[in-house]
Amino acid sequence: MRIIITGDGSPTLHNEKYDEAYHCTRGAVTEAAGKYAEPCRVAETARQNGLLRILDIGFGLGYNACAAIDAVSRAAPQALLDIVGLEKDPAALQAIAGLDPGLPNYGLIKALAAAPGGMLQQGNINLRLVLGDATETVTSQDGPFDMAYHDPFSLRKNPEMWTAGFFGNVHELLVPGGVLATYSCARHVRDNLRAAGFSVSDGPVLNRRGPCTLAFK
């Protein structure tokens, strides 16, 4: 995979199979915090509940998960943090060892990617990777989760990840009031989220013309 240095100086990779980058080329690390950790209020939820569970769909290079770890470690270091990452491509996980995005806790992501069985526990942080097609592996996950990060490749390249049926499976795994965050604001995506039972609202506008999407159970 070809390395791309994004607008905020952090690296991402270009996936040849899907012919897309794993992150917005205007800023990979900025995207991880601004489209997922911050609008999902990970720090506030962890501080309030003492426990935060995240389903990270399209784990990729682990930036989104790491942004959550960084936020919780700063704001609620005593909280329990449990992240389950769903990832299809083992090549993405192998590439993690050679990346340095500058995220404070990215060493945990590197350790997770190399861990036997895809499991890592350090202090109050529990991380698990599930390798396989997320349309299949999502049905075997144990909820409830407080939030889901939905970050696959685009609707045009990866349509099976954006169906009402898939969103329905995620909906079942969330707590009441739980949130799904995704970078897309496509009408088809939002219609499918509503068909799955979510209420939909605009997320932040970050490095793109339209807003991200927040969908609530």
Side-chain angles (χ1 to χ4, degrees):
M1 286 188 255
R2 175 168 52 92
I3 294 179
I4 300 169
I5 303 302
T6 66
D8 62 7
S10 60
T12 190
L13 297 178
H14 184 271
N15 184 289
E16 293 183 0
K17 177 181 178 181
Y18 290 97
D19 193 25
E20 289 185 352
Y22 282 90
H23 302 91
C24 174
T25 56
R26 296 180 183 176
V29 166
T30 302
E31 178 181 41
K35 294 182 181 179
Y36 294 96
E38 292 171 5
C40 286
R41 300 173 59 84
V42 297
E44 294 88 340
T45 302
R47 189 166 53 236
Q48 178 178 338
N49 297 341
L51 170 65
L52 178 65
R53 298 197 74 217
I54 301 173
L55 181 64
D56 187 2
I57 304 163
F59 181 86
L61 307 179
Y63 291 10
N64 296 338
C66 194
I69 295 170
D70 291 346
V72 172
S73 296
R74 289 191 301 267
Q78 302 305 315
L80 300 177
L81 177 60
D82 185 17
I83 301 177
V84 177
L86 307 185
E87 177 53 47
K88 183 178 182 179
D89 189 357
L93 304 180
Q94 293 166 7
I96 286 172
L99 296 175
D100 182 12
L103 290 160
N105 285 289
Y106 200 64
L108 289 179
I109 301 300
K110 291 188 174 187
L112 173 65
M119 299 182 69
L120 182 70
Q121 191 275 329
Q122 181 169 310
N124 294 335
I125 300 171
N126 295 299
L127 306 175
R128 181 164 64 92
L129 277 173
V130 180
L131 191 61
D133 188 333
T135 62
E136 300 172 359
T137 59
V138 71
T139 61
S140 61
Q141 302 313 306
D142 294 324
F145 292 92
D146 298 288
M147 55 194 65
Y149 293 171
H150 189 72
D151 194 16
F153 292 106
S154 69
L155 174 63
R156 183 169 60 91
K157 298 292 183 71
N158 204 182
E160 66 274 16
M161 294 291 289
W162 301 90
T163 66
F166 183 81
F167 288 140
N169 287 330
V170 178
H171 186 274
E172 292 182 6
L173 291 172
L174 294 177
V175 299
V179 59
L180 177 151
T182 188
Y183 62 85
S184 176
C185 65
R187 182 175 182 179
H188 181 72
V189 169
R190 291 188 169 190
D191 286 347
N192 283 346
L193 284 165
R194 293 186 181 98
F198 286 99
S199 60
V200 175
S201 65
D202 287 346
V205 177
L206 184 70
N207 291 336
R208 47 190 295 134
R209 287 174 293 181
C212 303
T213 296
L214 298 176
F216 297 90
K217 179 173 178 177

